[in-house]
Amino acid sequence: MYTQGLDQKDKPAAAGQGTETPEQLEAFQARIDAEEKIEAKDWMPEAYRRTLIRQISQHAHSEIIGMQPEGNWLTRAPTLKRKAILLAKIQDEAGHGLYLYSAAETLGVSRDQMVADLLNGKAKYSSIFNYPALTWADIGTIGWLVDGAAIMNQIPLCRCSYGPYSRAMIRICKEESFHQRQGFDILVSLCNGTDKQKAMAQDALDRWWWPSLMMFGPSDKDSKHSAQSMAWKIKRFSNDELRQKFIDVTVPQAEFLGLKVPDDKLAFDESTGHYRHGEIDWQEFLDVLAGNGPCNRQRMAKRCKAHDDGAWVREAARAYATKHTAKHAA
Ligand SMILES: [Fe+2]
Ligand SMILES: [Fe+2]
């Protein structure tokens, strides 16, 4: 049902490919260089449109799939207050998904097509959400590291050249900052608690540290989309630059908590003012991306089931819309 009529929508744009003149491309780049925002109805190169559809829809899918590891802990939150905070956080993530799907729709792709691409495995989402949340300390660590890394990635997107995406990111970033704080606050409590609670926090950091660093994507030399995205001002900083910023900000926070970052090569370099770090296991990243992470199958199965379970809601909304239109046409 959800793939219906979608290819047609993609065709006119695809037909435009290759018909762009050097003058059009030059004028477009001049607008970007002048820091003008590109809006939905403006002319844009086909590759720019496709890059944004890919990036924004992946971002939306990540928000939606990212609700799963935390949703798993809603019934087991240790206090009513923690439960209310976690519930609000997860609802924010659903909202982020919706703003982002709407921003991508302005580029001419339908919501149905994006959802279909997620469910049939064609579209990717952030590899971090294929790791399990095993203890309550994982909920703190996800907020601290995963939302923390998301903020680092997303703040520069508030200045992205595509207007609808950049505007969606402003509100999202404000909410992500609350997410990061609620996670850190859970860890402050655990690290000031019993030895067992502190050990639980350390164990969570040991498991989430490296996957969090992978969230910034492959190293610059291996990142195939980076250079063009930087020229179009979709990206403002390279993957490695953002990863470094994240490490520099996060290591002192781990020290404040009294936790040890699981990297023996981690050291502050006085000459550069940055932390040096060990090698990231890119093979693990590629394996998870290829669908072989600890929870890939579980996450997709749950999303597909949620989509099927929601069929009656979509049907009812459609029936209502048809009735409403008929009433107003009469
Ligand atoms: Fe989010
Ligand atoms: Fe978040």
Side-chain angles (χ1 to χ4, degrees), residues 63 70 89 92-93 96 146-147 150 154 172 175-177 179-180:
E63 302 282 356
E70 292 176 301
K89 193 248 190 215
D92 282 353
E93 306 298 9
H96 298 174
V146 177
D147 291 276
Q154 291 171 189
I172 291 178
E175 292 177 348
E176 294 301 356
S177 138
H179 299 170
Q180 196 269 353

Side-chain angles (χ1 to χ4, degrees), residues 269-304:
D269 186 336
E270 298 278 354
S271 65
T272 61
H274 297 294
Y275 282 89
R276 277 184 272 121
H277 61 89
E279 257 314 294
I280 293 169
D281 181 358
W282 290 114
Q283 193 51 51
E284 175 182 327
F285 175 72
L286 294 175
D287 289 345
V288 177
L289 217 56
N292 301 315
C295 301
N296 295 57
R297 285 169 194 83
Q298 181 188 330
R299 300 285 185 245
M300 286 309 297
K302 201 161 178 181
R303 182 90 291 277
C304 289

Side-chain angles (χ1 to χ4, degrees), residues 118-150:
L118 172 65
L119 299 183
N120 66 27
K122 206 173 129 198
K124 298 257 180 279
Y125 57 87
S126 179
S127 64
I128 193 84
F129 300 117
N130 292 309
Y131 290 85
L134 301 178
T135 69
W136 176 249
D138 287 41
I139 298 305
T141 309
I142 290 172
W144 174 37
L145 299 182
V146 177
D147 291 276

Side-chain angles (χ1 to χ4, degrees), residues 5-58:
L6 293 169
D7 283 353
Q8 286 95 316
K9 215 165 189 182
D10 257 354
K11 268 174 196 156
Q17 227 164 1
T19 59
E20 294 150 357
T21 64
E23 291 74 27
Q24 279 176 312
L25 293 172
E26 216 169 282
F28 180 78
Q29 190 61 48
R31 292 192 62 195
I32 300 268
D33 294 343
E35 297 287 336
E36 273 180 45
K37 289 279 180 238
I38 307 300
E39 297 298 338
K41 290 189 174 144
D42 294 351
W43 184 88
M44 63 185 82
E46 188 52 23
Y48 177 84
R49 193 182 77 88
R50 289 193 177 281
T51 299
L52 279 166
I53 289 176
R54 191 191 65 246
Q55 180 172 333
I56 302 173
S57 62
Q58 276 180 16

